[in-house]
Amino acid sequence: MAAANINAEALKESPIPEAVEPKASKQTIDPYNVSGEVGEDGVVKAIDYNKLVEEFGTKLIDQELLARFERVTGQKPHRFLRRGIVFSHRELETILDRYEKGEPFFLYTGRGPSSDAIHIGHTVPFTFTKWLQDVFDVPLVIMLTDDEKYLFSEKRTIEEVMGYCNSNAKDIIAVGFDPAKTFIFSDFEFMGGAFYKNCVRVSKHITLNQARAIFGFNESSNIGRIHFGAIQGASSFANSFPFIFGTDEKKTCVIPALIPCAIDQDPYFRMTRDVAARIKFAKPSLIHAKFLDALQGPGTKMSASIDESAIFMKDTPNQIKNKINRYAFSGGKVSQEEHRAEGGRTDVDVSFQYLRFFLEDDEELERIRKAYESGEMLTGELKAICIKELQTYVAEFQERRQKVDDETVKLFMKERPLQWAGNPRAPRVVPQVVAAGEGAGEEAAGGDGKLTKNQLKKLEKQKMIEAKKARKAKEKEEKTATPAPEA
């Protein structure tokens, strides 16, 4: 297993340096750095994802696996899967096996709150995770790594990163997650109990030499950074969440997580999988997404701290239009005549790549590709299509975001039993924790892990109650938002 090549000094935040003559360098992909290879000519190349698969030891998602996914779930694969945007995995087959049998698993993803706004690149893993939640009907835990953003920054304060948590949680909720099946937590606020026990379990099995080899730490790295991998890994284990899965660790430690994430996060979970095998816990499975290029083109990654690099989810329609027109790297030719004759390159054109991520219609995307590559469509026309699509995507998000208030955040971040059903076509063997007073025991599952008819009825009743509460809250919000008529 190849270790990530990390320059530890790159972990320290610093002002954007003045432009310098680029030097040839290899591509660097790790939790703290994402950059494509720089050639001898100083041009940044697109990220070589096949090379990453070889270096990290993951597997490509092939057509056979996609066909099985559709057969097992009864759902057409998401556009990210169909287009190779979600392209790599670790033991996704294990999760499909469990889904077929009705055996429990959960989803786990996260966000490092480094600013008070997210960009469209941040929404990619959350959009996909939301789809997985809908398809599998399983619990989801979302980790806000405020501690990480404090430890890996020379400037941010604890109060600052915790403040970002509330805003980022609202952004995440606005993607459309089901509150009955979703728990969001801040590391600073959630640390303790079963979660901390697993942090200690993981940290005991990681040596300083291993942390150096995986993450590139050195004698100048603070010990918080070295320990953080154990915290991120601990959320991969179901027994970190006894209020969701119950307190019987003999049962819960064998429930695996499926982790949708960008490929740069893989080193954390390679390490976690190694530790899991040693402590006899279920290894987490992973499913990896490619990066959405920055506006500047292939080999670059959007940055929350550089406004010109990204389309932010708070941007106005006019800001989106100006950013695409001014900054979006073009795969077109220098002159219109040359472009008409030779066509453009969709593989490097940022506007087309954004359409690959956000345009749902496969046939329309293919029509655009052919038209641009043949020279029939000009760069301005392609950018206009991209602008319209992104304006719609961001506007719909902003509409949902306006409805998320502090009370909604408290609901998602409250430690509570979650409600899910799993595979409707398989026997129920999912352990379920119910709220106090709803049953004789803490766990709704019996000795065989199945719910009784009475427990199922109570579960459905609880869902109806939650839905009714949500409707009433929405009606109350709408009444409050409606201005009173003038006298």
Side-chain angles (χ1 to χ4, degrees):
M1 178 173 64
N5 177 24
I6 301 177
N7 176 0
E9 289 302 312
L11 303 180
K12 298 179 181 179
E13 292 195 352
S14 59
I16 301 171
E18 294 181 4
V20 294
E21 190 68 27
K23 297 179 180 180
S25 63
K26 295 180 180 180
Q27 71 175 15
T28 302
I29 309 295
D30 57 56
Y32 319 110
N33 303 280
V34 175
S35 60
E37 179 183 347
V38 179
E40 293 293 339
D41 57 359
V43 176
V44 180
K45 300 180 181 179
I47 292 168
D48 187 339
Y49 289 100
N50 288 330
K51 187 176 181 180
L52 276 181
V53 167
E54 291 179 11
E55 289 180 353
F56 286 3
T58 66
K59 292 182 180 179
L60 288 171
I61 296 175
D62 56 22
Q63 289 303 313
E64 183 179 348
L65 186 56
L66 286 181
R68 189 188 173 206
F69 188 101
E70 184 168 1
R71 187 169 62 251
V72 169
T73 64
Q75 297 288 329
K76 178 182 177 181
H78 192 276
R79 64 179 182 274
F80 293 168
L81 288 167
R82 301 195 304 268
R83 297 171 188 171
I85 292 167
V86 172
F87 72 106
S88 165
H89 74 102
R90 291 186 185 276
E91 293 191 321
L92 178 58
E93 303 98 335
T94 299
I95 297 300
L96 294 178
D97 289 343
R98 294 183 73 86
Y99 184 74
E100 273 190 309
K101 299 173 185 176
E103 294 175 348
F105 64 93
F106 68 105
L107 296 168
Y108 159 42
T109 193
R111 158 89 179 127
S114 58
S115 69
D116 61 359
I118 64 172
H119 54 61
I120 57 172
H122 291 138
T123 69
V124 170
F126 289 115
T127 297
F128 185 62
T129 300
K130 194 266 182 188
W131 181 80
L132 289 174
Q133 183 184 62
D134 292 342
V135 169
F136 288 129
D137 195 357
V138 293
L140 163 66
V141 296
I142 299 176
M143 178 191 225
L144 296 175
T145 57
D146 41 12
D147 52 345
E148 175 202 20
K149 290 305 175 184
Y150 173 69
L151 291 167
F152 285 83
S153 170
E154 299 301 320
K155 299 178 180 180
R156 295 189 183 103
T157 65
I158 287 179
E159 292 72 23
E160 180 183 358
V161 294
M162 290 188 73
Y164 292 150
C165 271
N166 183 267
S167 175
N168 283 192
K170 289 179 179 178
D171 290 330
I172 292 167
I173 292 166
V175 172
F177 293 108
D178 185 344
K181 295 195 282 275
T182 307
F183 172 58
I184 302 175
F185 64 97
S186 144
D187 283 350
F188 277 135
E189 295 183 352
F190 185 57
M191 186 60 68
F195 180 47
Y196 184 61
K197 287 179 185 177
N198 277 339
C199 292
V200 173
R201 282 181 175 125
V202 176
S203 63
K204 185 177 180 179
H205 290 82
I206 304 169
T207 67
L208 177 58
N209 284 340
Q210 287 173 322
R212 282 175 169 175
I214 297 170
F215 301 109
F217 299 133
N218 60 24
E219 291 80 3
S220 299
S221 303
N222 68 58
I223 61 174
R225 294 182 182 185
I226 297 167
H227 180 256
F228 176 74
I231 298 173
Q232 182 137 322
S235 299
S236 306
F237 304 132
N239 59 335
S240 291
F241 311 98
F243 51 91
I244 299 175
F245 299 103
T247 56
D248 187 344
E249 287 203 343
K250 290 181 179 178
K251 293 180 180 178
T252 59
C253 73
V254 296
I255 299 174
L258 172 60
I259 306 173
C261 61
I263 188 69
D264 62 333
Q265 297 299 302
D266 186 75
Y268 281 122
F269 301 110
R270 293 204 306 271
M271 176 194 72
T272 302
R273 284 168 56 84
D274 289 343
V275 172
R278 296 174 66 184
I279 62 178
K280 297 183 175 12
F281 281 14
K283 290 183 180 181
S285 295
L286 286 93
I287 187 163
H288 305 113
K290 295 179 179 179
F291 303 110
L292 184 64
D293 289 335
L295 289 165
Q296 286 65 37
T300 62
K301 182 185 176 185
M302 291 185 173
S303 171
S305 59
I306 304 175
D307 189 65
E308 294 80 7
S309 74
I311 303 296
F312 285 84
M313 301 309 289
K314 64 179 182 180
D315 283 348
T316 65
N318 199 47
Q319 285 175 316
I320 294 170
K321 179 180 178 180
N322 289 338
K323 284 184 178 182
I324 294 295
N325 283 331
R326 291 179 65 185
Y327 303 118
F329 184 84
S330 170
K333 298 297 186 291
V334 176
S335 68
Q336 181 173 322
E337 292 75 16
E338 187 181 355
H339 185 90
R340 291 291 192 196
E342 300 179 19
R345 290 182 56 188
T346 56
D347 61 322
V348 298
D349 191 285
V350 164
S351 295
F352 183 81
Q353 291 305 312
Y354 286 6
L355 289 174
R356 284 188 70 238
F357 275 76
F358 300 108
L359 179 63
E360 178 64 33
D361 191 328
D362 290 338
E363 292 183 1
E364 176 63 8
L365 184 68
E366 179 63 10
R367 184 195 70 79
I368 294 168
R369 184 191 69 79
K370 289 180 177 178
Y372 192 66
E373 291 182 353
S374 69
E376 177 188 343
M377 180 180 290
L378 298 175
T379 295
E381 295 172 297
L382 178 57
K383 285 191 173 186
I385 296 171
C386 177
I387 289 167
K388 183 178 179 182
E389 193 68 29
L390 292 184
Q391 286 174 336
T392 300
Y393 180 77
V394 172
E396 290 175 350
F397 172 88
Q398 291 173 351
E399 184 179 350
R400 295 191 300 269
R401 176 66 162 76
Q402 288 177 351
K403 299 175 183 178
V404 181
D405 57 17
D406 289 340
E407 290 303 312
T408 308
V409 173
K410 287 179 183 177
L411 170 63
F412 274 87
M413 299 188 77
K414 179 182 178 181
E415 293 182 26
R416 67 204 189 282
L418 300 182
Q419 302 158 8
W420 73 96
N423 187 352
R425 297 176 291 181
R428 174 66 183 245
V429 293
V430 179
Q432 190 104 31
V433 176
V434 296
E438 291 190 17
E442 183 190 10
E443 294 188 27
D448 59 357
K450 297 181 180 179
L451 290 177
T452 65
K453 290 182 179 179
N454 188 44
Q455 289 164 340
L456 285 170
K457 286 180 180 177
K458 287 182 177 179
L459 179 59
E460 288 302 317
K461 183 178 179 181
Q462 184 64 27
K463 286 183 178 179
M464 292 173 66
I465 292 172
E466 292 295 333
K468 188 175 181 180
K469 286 181 179 178
R471 285 197 302 272
K472 285 186 176 180
K474 185 178 180 181
E475 289 171 1
K476 184 178 179 181
E477 184 181 284
E478 289 174 348
K479 287 180 180 178
T480 304
T482 303
E486 294 184 5

